[in-house]
Amino acid sequence: MPSTVTRGVLDALLPLRCMCCDTRVGSEDGLCPVCWNGMPFIEKPVCYRLGVPFSYDVGEEAWSPRAIASPPVFDRLRSVAFYEGSAQSLVLAFKFGGRRELARPMGKWMTSAGREILNTDSLIVPVPLHWMRLLSRRFNQSAALAQVIAKECGAAYEPELLTRHKRTRQQVGLTAKERQKNVRSAFRISPQRAGHLDGRHAVLIDDVMTTGSTIAACTKTLLSAGALSVDVLTFALADPSRSDQEGSAIP
């Protein structure tokens, strides 16, 4: 650990910067006041299934009207924030801007947001990329987040359990039905890792959930292969009821 004097010198030479806007801040992995106020955190009380906030407390394990009308294939979804403002800036910087160092603070926030669905017996499973997209992007942002989350909560990290064998189109600009068709039959369980899934609780990790088509396809694959239950943990959640996020720039 650097001494106080050494830390002071480093801070003077390399001042700490806001993760979003590069403004000087007082702590590592911090946000400036403006970006903090622009972070649309999702706070309790929330829908038990979809993790979207209620305007008032309606009791434990309450379902939102959307969850009642169309229950998801997964058990529960938890997210740090809505996909807008500072949360959107962080996701785009992380995913497309080469800011891989954001995996650690974003993953820690996700661990906190998902504490009720994470335990040491969970299998932490990132949404996979097709190998050709992984080659072009050079890293899987979901896997980077999953690795941090597994370390934080003491669960098993399973980056090779779920594979994407079908090269799908980019999801940007597709309607909900087109997204569902695009990812249909795109995922498989690795034969070498299939035995690790039987009767286990899996937590599926992704950076953003939009229409949920990719998450649903992954969940069905995990359940069909023997998972006892599947929960989902994302950094951001695109909620069409808050704004026109259907066409947001999220692959």
Side-chain angles (χ1 to χ4, degrees), residues 50 66 74 77 79 83 88 91 95 171-176 179 206-215 232 234 236-240 245-251:
L50 295 177
R66 188 165 23 139
F74 52 80
L77 167 69
S79 305
Y83 184 70
Q88 184 179 39
V91 168
K95 196 168 188 172
Q171 298 275 62
V172 177
L174 300 182
T175 65
R179 286 173 181 247
D206 207 358
D207 55 349
V208 185
M209 177 168 149
T210 49
T211 62
S213 55
T214 297
I215 293 295
V232 179
T234 70
L237 172 64
D239 185 358
Q245 297 179 331
E246 183 74 19
S248 296
I250 311 171

Side-chain angles (χ1 to χ4, degrees), residues 19-249:
M19 293 190 296
C20 274
C21 71
D22 210 34
T23 298
R24 291 187 65 166
V25 293
S27 60
E28 188 177 11
D29 296 335
L31 295 174
C32 71
V34 172
C35 291
W36 179 267
N37 289 333
M39 179 66 74
F41 287 110
I42 296 174
E43 299 178 354
K44 290 185 175 181
V46 298
C47 167
Y48 180 75
R49 294 297 297 276
L50 295 177
V52 293
F54 290 123
S55 57
Y56 58 91
D57 193 347
V58 292
E60 291 187 17
E61 300 189 9
W63 291 27
S64 63
R66 188 165 23 139
I68 294 171
S70 182
V73 293
F74 52 80
D75 287 0
R76 293 169 291 178
L77 167 69
R78 295 294 180 267
S79 305
V80 174
F82 286 110
Y83 184 70
E84 55 192 62
S86 298
Q88 184 179 39
S89 297
L90 286 174
V91 168
L92 294 177
F94 176 51
K95 196 168 188 172
F96 303 115
R99 299 280 308 281
R100 297 193 195 186
E101 75 278 5
L102 292 177
R104 184 169 66 94
M106 290 171 68
K108 287 185 174 182
W109 266 337
M110 291 172 69
T111 303
S112 179
R115 56 187 174 272
E116 64 187 286
I117 63 175
L118 295 168
N119 59 69
T120 54
D121 295 326
S122 302
L123 296 179
I124 308 301
V125 183
V127 171
L129 292 177
H130 187 269
W131 69 268
M132 293 184 70
R133 186 158 295 157
L134 181 60
L135 192 64
S136 64
R137 193 175 293 174
R138 299 189 178 182
F139 86 117
N140 179 354
Q141 74 283 348
S142 300
L145 294 170
Q147 189 171 20
V148 173
I149 293 164
K151 183 178 180 180
E152 288 291 312
C153 71
Y157 173 51
E158 289 284 350
E160 298 177 356
L161 191 151
L162 189 63
T163 65
R164 189 189 296 243
H165 69 95
K166 174 184 173 184
R167 189 184 185 191
T168 55
R169 295 168 55 194
Q170 291 277 0
Q171 298 275 62
V172 177
L174 300 182
T175 65
K177 288 185 177 180
E178 288 171 338
R179 286 173 181 247
Q180 292 172 5
K181 183 178 180 180
N182 190 41
V183 297
R184 190 176 299 150
S185 303
F187 302 97
R188 290 177 181 170
I189 299 297
S190 169
Q192 292 78 19
R193 307 299 291 170
H196 291 251
L197 191 59
D198 292 343
R200 301 288 298 276
H201 168 241
V203 181
L204 192 62
I205 306 297
D206 207 358
D207 55 349
V208 185
M209 177 168 149
T210 49
T211 62
S213 55
T214 297
I215 293 295
C218 290
T219 298
K220 290 175 183 177
T221 302
L222 292 169
L223 291 173
S224 296
L228 178 64
S229 60
V230 179
D231 288 322
V232 179
L233 180 57
T234 70
F235 180 78
L237 172 64
D239 185 358
S241 69
R242 287 170 62 87
S243 60
D244 184 16
Q245 297 179 331
E246 183 74 19
S248 296

